[in-house]
Amino acid sequence: MKSNSCKEPFATIAPYYDKLMSFVNYPSWVIYIEKIIQLSSVKEKFLLDLACGTGVCLELWSKNGYSVIGLDKSLPMLEVCHEKLAGQDDVLLINGNMQSFKLGRQVPVITCLYDSLNYLLTEAELLSCFRRVHDALRADGVFVFDMNTIHSLRDEWGNNSFQRRDEDLFSVWTNTYNPVQDISSLNITLHIRRNGEEIILKEFHQERGYRLSVVEALLGEAGFTYSLYRHLTFTPATENDLRIMGVARK
Ligand SMILES: C[S@@+](CC[C@H](N)C(=O)[O-])C[C@H]1O[C@@H](n2cnc3c(N)ncnc32)[C@H](O)[C@@H]1O
């Protein structure tokens, strides 16, 4: 048995990420966001996906005729993304930090999906990201994002351990919730069988939950008008939702 432990989130699990997330209905997320785009005055099919990861959504957008830019700070995730989108036109991938990126141009649609904003662990980091998004968004543009709520990290993930089997991949997800910081610490252990041998890979992640009033205050401070909804609906978000969607305009 071989074992490898890694502290850098996504460095180890990148090649397995898509398999681990195979239960996520990304196409329904893209359909929902397209509705939001259609309700805005944006006509151009051009989008920046922050924290694009392995590019599952980028691929869907690209197939829907969008020119896309993906930005992520993890090179291993971008490598998987690069392979997936090879041969697609109008794709630009950037290795960057969503807290500090400068695009040098403005785009009509910016997305940031699947917990990515929860990886920003302080209000200052979240505000900095919102400010960078505001700079990069066209005047008529729209920023769409999701977030896990405190309820999700505290009461669902809590101090629980979950086991999953995704095809040949067995994984254990062990959470510890810090109620003072609203931070969930997550140890992910992957058990992989390769050439008859078991390989164990470990990675450490942290996600922070933010009160909805804090998200709203930071969006306002960055210059946005906004609505927060229960995930994939147009029902106003509450602290009892597990995941929320934010729709922000300049
Ligand atoms: C849970 S994954 C989501 C990936 C993708 N958005 C999806 O929907 O599958 C979180 C992603 O956020 C990226 N990330 C975390 N913090 C970041 C930061 N400060 N700047 C850019 N990317 C970041 C990670 O590298 C990872 O790819």
Side-chain angles (χ1 to χ4, degrees), residues 3-239:
S3 183
N4 178 17
S5 193
C6 178
K7 283 248 167 200
E8 179 69 28
F10 301 100
T12 306
I13 67 169
Y16 309 99
Y17 182 85
D18 287 1
K19 201 175 266 185
L20 288 168
M21 297 303 145
S22 55
F23 68 95
V24 180
N25 189 350
Y26 284 107
S28 70
W29 298 30
V30 166
I31 289 169
Y32 172 79
I33 296 169
E34 277 215 287
K35 266 189 223 150
I36 293 169
I37 297 171
Q38 281 157 13
L39 290 170
S40 76
S41 53
V42 171
K43 297 284 170 270
E44 201 185 344
K45 288 190 152 191
F46 183 26
L47 173 149
L48 162 66
D49 188 27
L50 290 178
C52 62
T54 59
V56 186
C57 285
L58 283 184
E59 188 179 35
L60 293 169
W61 289 115
S62 183
K63 284 184 176 156
N64 284 0
Y66 280 73
S67 302
V68 291
I69 303 176
L71 180 145
D72 201 285
K73 80 170 183 185
S74 163
L75 265 178
M77 293 291 269
L78 279 181
E79 274 161 18
V80 178
C81 184
H82 184 257
E83 258 179 51
K84 186 177 286 144
L85 293 167
Q88 305 264 21
D89 290 336
D90 284 333
V91 178
L92 172 66
L93 299 181
I94 301 172
N95 184 214
N97 193 321
M98 60 183 165
Q99 282 174 60
S100 53
F101 75 100
K102 285 196 174 70
L103 211 54
R105 61 177 297 178
Q106 290 189 318
V107 292
V109 180
I110 301 181
T111 54
C112 187
L113 300 174
Y114 208 24
D115 302 12
S116 300
L117 287 174
N118 294 99
Y119 280 81
L120 302 180
L121 298 182
T122 66
E123 288 181 21
E125 289 176 0
L126 189 57
L127 176 59
S128 178
C129 176
F130 286 163
R131 286 196 198 283
R132 299 292 74 76
V133 172
H134 193 271
D135 289 345
L137 195 65
R138 238 169 47 186
D140 61 342
V142 61
F143 171 41
V144 186
F145 60 92
D146 71 35
M147 286 181 104
N148 273 324
T149 57
I150 289 179
H151 169 50
S152 172
L153 301 186
R154 183 189 58 209
D155 305 324
E156 287 281 310
W157 295 17
N159 294 307
N160 298 314
S161 191
F162 305 95
Q163 298 185 352
R164 292 237 314 271
R165 185 170 288 284
D166 302 276
E167 299 169 27
D168 55 344
L169 192 58
F170 178 67
S171 57
V172 183
W173 308 65
T174 304
N175 303 283
T176 313
Y177 186 70
N178 179 328
V180 177
Q181 299 173 316
D182 291 321
I183 289 179
S184 175
S185 297
L186 168 63
N187 283 293
I188 304 175
T189 307
L190 302 186
H191 296 257
I192 296 152
R193 283 215 83 76
R194 204 180 287 151
N195 302 328
E197 189 180 24
E198 186 180 36
I199 300 172
I200 296 179
L201 303 176
K202 293 177 191 240
E203 220 175 65
F204 180 70
H205 291 226
Q206 284 191 307
E207 291 195 24
R208 160 113 187 247
Y210 291 91
R211 301 216 155 275
L212 301 191
S213 57
V214 170
V215 178
E216 289 172 335
L218 298 179
L219 284 167
E221 207 173 325
F224 286 109
T225 56
Y226 51 80
S227 302
L228 300 184
Y229 300 114
R230 179 182 303 157
H231 191 231
L232 302 190
T233 75
F234 293 102
T235 305
T238 75
E239 296 289 359

